Amino acid sequence: MRPKKKWGQNFLRNRGAVAKIVEAVDAQPDEVVLEIGPGEGVLTEKLVALPNPLVAIEIDPELAARLRARFGERLTLRNEDAVDAPLPETPYRAVGNLPYNVGTPILRRVIADPHCRRAVFMLQKEVADRVVAKPGSDPYGYLTLYVAAFASARIAMTLDPRSFHPPPKVRSAVVVLDPRDPQLAAERTLVLDLVSASFRMRRKKLVNNLTGWRNLTREDVLSLMQRAAIDLDVRAETMSLADFDRFAVAYSALASPGS
Ligand code: SAM
């Protein structure tokens, strides 16, 4: 079967990487394992050997039929789009060598899902760098802070294109994401909306990006920054999640005084 470009079919051929990915899942007895994009089944054949129930979501009907024939009842195979397919409603660990064109939306929905206990995802290296970036670095941005609002993240390994067939144009990395409560004082949706507005024009100062956000005037923004003890000249790219949280708390007090 010829790999299909439209579904990001770059199949993993590196046995050492397969073993490390499966080991990183570290599924606990009460957890389902959810594989996203099983493809030819290189990870699946190791995952079916675990005692945990295994569910896989594969968009390609031809591959889905092959996987069903090969693994039978050991695998619950769903021929669906992982961008919007239902996720398990009991605790699970997600794993997958994600198709690059939809890697970010899949990662975002899985780590925001309350039943997810861990996610081990192969991503484009450039996306993995954004996930784990430190404030002030080039890759630091909305994705970094979005992930930090739900999970801790680390890169477990980096792979070069020769580990895949056909080789992709870019390097890849495996990230391990563990859900955690970031202890935000403001609503998470408000903090993330604020982060999104703050990075609208990356090189602009925070005050310029936020003027007009939720109808705030420049003076409103400066006064909220002062209340949140944020330097008035700051750019979003150097701010931590805690800084955004303080600004969001100050904004909430302004938007609903007395509450
Ligand atoms: N896990 C296999 C491996 O490591 O060799 C395949 C990885 S390949 C990079 C990505 C897989 O995801 C392909 O099998 C592709 O058909 C599937 N896929 C692509 N888009 C998808 C989507 N939106 N939902 C579910 N599966 C998808």
Side-chain angles (χ1 to χ4, degrees):
M1 232 181 81
R2 282 181 53 179
K4 302 177 186 88
K5 227 177 177 173
K6 69 171 173 175
W7 284 324
Q9 293 180 353
N10 301 101
F11 299 112
L12 187 57
R13 289 283 194 265
N14 178 330
R15 293 274 151 193
V18 170
K20 276 195 190 163
I21 292 168
V22 173
E23 192 184 334
V25 176
D26 192 25
Q28 302 301 298
D30 58 339
E31 294 168 341
V32 167
V33 174
L34 171 68
E35 187 183 1
I36 297 179
E40 294 178 328
V42 71
L43 293 169
T44 324
E45 68 183 1
K46 303 291 180 209
L47 296 169
V48 288
L50 300 175
N52 308 68
L54 178 61
V55 177
I57 304 176
E58 170 58 61
I59 201 168
D60 182 338
E62 277 184 75
L63 287 175
R66 284 185 177 210
L67 290 158
R68 273 199 194 104
R70 179 168 166 201
F71 295 110
E73 289 186 351
R74 292 185 292 163
L75 170 69
T76 304
L77 195 283
R78 303 202 334 236
N79 179 209
E80 290 170 349
D81 183 342
V83 171
D84 53 18
L87 297 169
E89 292 189 351
T90 56
Y92 67 88
R93 295 200 175 206
V95 55
N97 169 10
L98 297 185
Y100 292 147
N101 53 341
V102 285
T104 308
I106 292 173
L107 175 148
R108 283 179 53 174
R109 73 179 294 234
V110 168
I111 62 164
D113 184 62
H115 292 110
C116 175
R117 296 288 177 267
R118 171 171 279 189
V120 180
F121 287 148
M122 176 96 69
L123 299 161
Q124 223 166 307
K125 170 75 165 51
E126 176 258 324
V127 176
D129 286 343
R130 281 161 52 206
V131 168
V132 302
K134 296 277 175 270
S137 65
D138 271 352
Y140 187 76
Y142 180 75
L143 182 63
T144 321
L145 287 150
Y146 178 92
V147 169
F150 293 98
S152 63
R154 63 183 170 87
I155 291 187
M157 100 184 86
T158 301
L159 286 101
D160 78 24
R162 287 170 303 178
S163 288
F164 303 87
H165 170 77
K169 289 200 172 66
V170 293
R171 290 203 302 154
S172 305
V174 175
V175 287
V176 178
L177 301 134
D178 286 313
R180 55 151 201 163
D181 179 358
Q183 312 272 342
L184 297 174
E187 290 280 328
R188 181 156 42 200
T189 47
L190 172 64
V191 175
L192 290 176
D193 186 43
L194 168 67
V195 172
S196 167
S198 302
F199 277 96
R200 208 161 282 154
M201 305 282 277
R202 196 180 168 83
R203 299 293 161 206
K204 274 194 180 180
K205 286 184 185 174
L206 184 73
V207 60
N208 294 325
N209 273 330
L210 290 185
T211 298
W213 176 72
R214 300 197 177 206
N215 293 325
L216 293 179
T217 63
R218 187 178 180 83
E219 289 63 42
D220 292 334
V221 177
L222 289 169
S223 138
L224 291 173
M225 289 175 76
Q226 242 159 359
R227 270 193 230 179
I230 292 169
D231 183 313
L232 301 185
D233 284 325
V234 81
R235 289 179 172 74
E237 63 196 8
T238 63
M239 289 172 65
S240 67
L241 188 63
D243 294 332
F244 287 106
D245 187 36
R246 285 201 315 283
F247 186 98
V249 167
Y251 168 80
S252 302
L254 178 82
S256 32
S259 66

